[in-house]
Structures are given as structure tokens and as C-alpha cells.
Amino acid sequence: MSAAQRRRAAYRRRQTTRSVLVAAVSTAVLGTLLVVAVTGAPGWDRVRLSFLDPQIARDALPEVLTGLWLNVRLLVCCAVGALLLGLLIALLRTLRGPVFFPVRALAAGYTYTFRGLPLIIVLYVLTLGVPGLRLQGMPPVLVLGGLALVLTYGGYLAEVFRAGIESVHPSQLAAARSLGLTYRQTMRHVVLPQAVRRVAPPLLNDVVALQKDVGLVSLAGPIDAVRAAQIATAQSFNYTPYIVAGVLFVLLAIPLIAVTDWVTLRAARRQSGG
């Protein structure tokens, strides 16, 4: 290494160290100012007793954790179901030929309907209205709530998948067909691998949104983290259990958000050739 290269490397190290120190000091100063401003505000003692009571948080934590396990299981099942349903609807909407027009119309109607309907209305209809029909073989309310989530998010994911499929250049489809691949083989081996890779970040963003919305099944009665927090709040007349449930949901979302950011950064580097 020449003397000039050593000087440049030393300069970069000094700049990096300086940037880290400046960032740490500015973060510490801002954090201190926020803590002083919040704790010194009028009414802080009442806020702390109503929302941040450590004893009530300890008492409510076991029940809220038990309810959160239900949310996690529901999230996994609903995410898989919504992804599969969204992919199926996207494939139906991309079928070509006049004979498939009714199929395309039905798929488009599904996406328009469930992207426009508020999730809470779908939940109320399926978890409160459908059981009132007293039909034979009616599934549990939890299954109906999961079905509402799958139907709603399937509409959003279908459009994400469709955007990825249509982003693949038509010349690649023509090249695959010229090699003797059938339409199914072309979609499986040429189109879908590229489409899924391109839309992975928005797909993961929708999964993060689904992770939050699984808490809405508590409106139908299942004792998940939100319902457990509501019960604890009704018993103690204190809102700390809701804060406990919120913190647990945030901790549950952090790994998904980190994976989403990593996939997004990786996709950006791939597109830029880096």
C-alpha cells in the first residue's frame, strides 16, 4: 500500500469514528430532552399510573402472552392461506383468451370487492352474522375470523402477485414457448420465480400489516392478546394491559420488519448492479 492510500484509509477511519461519535451524542441529547419533556409535563403522574403501572403489567403479562400465542398461530395460518389465495387469483386474472373471460371477470370482481370492503365489516359478517344462520357443520368463530382475514388480504396480495407477473417481459414467455414449454411450465419455471422475487418486499409488507390485524379477531370473542388485555383492564380499571399487548405486538413485528428491510435493500442492490 502506498503512502497516499494509507492516508486515504486513515482519513476514512477518522471520518467514520467522527460520524459515530456525532450520531451517539446527538441521540443522547435528543433522548434526554424527550425524557425530561415527557416526565416533566403536567399530568405525567396520572398518565404513568393509568398506562405504565409495573405491578399491573406483571399481573397481566402471563394471560396476554397466552393470548399472543393464539395470534401467532393465526398469523401463520392466515399468511399462508392469503398468499396461496392471492397467487391463485393473480394467475386467474392473467389467463389469456376469450374463453377465460368469465374467470378473469370473477377474479377481478373478487379483488375489487375485498380491497374495497373494510376488514372489520368482513369480520362482523363472517363471525357474527354467519353463525346466526345456525347451519349444520358451522366452523368455530376463530376459523371464521381467520377466513375473513384470508379473504381480505388475498385481494391485496393478488394484485401484488399480478403486478409481478406482468412485470416479466413478454419476450421471455415467447422464448419459453418457442423452446417447447407449455403454459403451465412457462409460468412455473420462467415467470413465477422472477415475479415472486420482484414483489417480495411488498408481499412482506402485507404480512407485517396482517400481523397487526390478527388482533381484530378479538372482536368476535376469541381470547387473544387483545381480548386478554381487555379483560385485565376491566378487572383493574387500568389501561396498562393494553400497553403490554401493544409492546408484545411490536416485538413480534420487529423480526418481520427487519427481514422486509433486508429483502428491500437486497432487491435495490440487485437492480443497481451492486
Side-chain angles (χ1 to χ4, degrees):
M1 181 182 295
S2 65
Q5 290 176 323
R6 286 195 296 270
R7 286 195 299 270
R8 282 196 296 268
Y11 174 77
R12 292 195 188 99
R13 286 195 297 268
R14 287 196 301 270
Q15 288 295 104
T16 301
T17 304
R18 180 176 176 274
S19 299
V20 171
L21 290 176
V22 170
V25 171
S26 62
T27 302
V29 171
L30 180 60
T32 302
L33 291 176
L34 288 175
V35 170
V36 171
V38 171
T39 57
W44 164 248
D45 290 334
R46 293 194 301 273
V47 172
R48 180 172 54 83
L49 290 175
S50 297
F51 295 95
L52 301 172
D53 191 311
Q55 182 58 47
I56 293 179
R58 283 193 294 269
D59 295 340
L61 182 60
E63 295 299 327
V64 176
L65 276 175
T66 301
L68 186 68
W69 174 234
L70 176 62
N71 290 117
V72 172
R73 287 179 291 168
L74 187 62
L75 169 63
V76 173
C77 295
C78 290
V80 173
L83 287 168
L84 293 176
L85 178 61
L87 179 59
L88 175 62
I89 297 299
L91 290 174
L92 294 179
R93 289 201 66 182
T94 56
L95 291 174
R96 295 291 180 262
V99 70
F100 293 114
F101 174 78
V103 177
R104 294 196 301 271
L106 287 174
Y110 164 79
T111 58
Y112 291 164
T113 300
F114 283 97
R115 289 169 67 200
L117 276 175
L119 173 58
I120 194 169
I121 292 180
V122 183
L123 277 168
Y124 278 147
V125 169
L126 288 181
T127 60
L128 301 180
V130 172
L133 299 176
R134 301 183 183 276
L135 300 176
Q136 198 169 24
M138 182 68 63
V141 172
L142 183 62
V143 175
L144 293 174
L147 179 61
L149 291 167
V150 169
L151 289 175
T152 301
Y153 273 87
Y156 291 103
L157 295 174
E159 288 303 286
V160 175
F161 277 120
R162 186 169 73 94
I165 291 172
E166 293 183 349
S167 70
V168 179
H169 199 275
S171 62
Q172 298 197 37
L173 279 75
R177 299 304 295 272
S178 68
L179 292 174
L181 296 180
T182 63
Y183 176 81
R184 180 184 302 178
Q185 292 172 329
T186 301
M187 295 298 296
R188 178 182 176 185
H189 298 290
V190 178
V191 177
L192 287 181
Q194 297 182 70
V196 172
R197 186 166 60 248
R198 292 178 180 180
V199 299
L203 287 176
L204 290 173
N205 278 326
D206 283 336
V207 173
V208 172
L210 176 61
Q211 181 263 327
K212 297 182 297 181
D213 284 343
V214 292
L216 292 176
V217 296
S218 63
L219 296 171
I223 303 179
D224 66 337
V226 178
R227 177 66 72 179
Q230 184 182 31
I231 294 172
T233 296
Q235 293 172 343
S236 62
F237 299 100
N238 189 286
Y239 293 95
T240 302
Y242 281 126
I243 303 301
V244 173
V247 170
L248 291 177
F249 271 102
V250 171
L251 293 177
L252 180 63
I254 286 175
L256 289 174
I257 295 172
V259 171
T260 302
D261 291 342
W262 177 77
V263 171
T264 303
L265 180 61
R266 184 182 177 189
R269 287 177 175 174
R270 185 187 299 116
Q271 290 179 357
S272 62

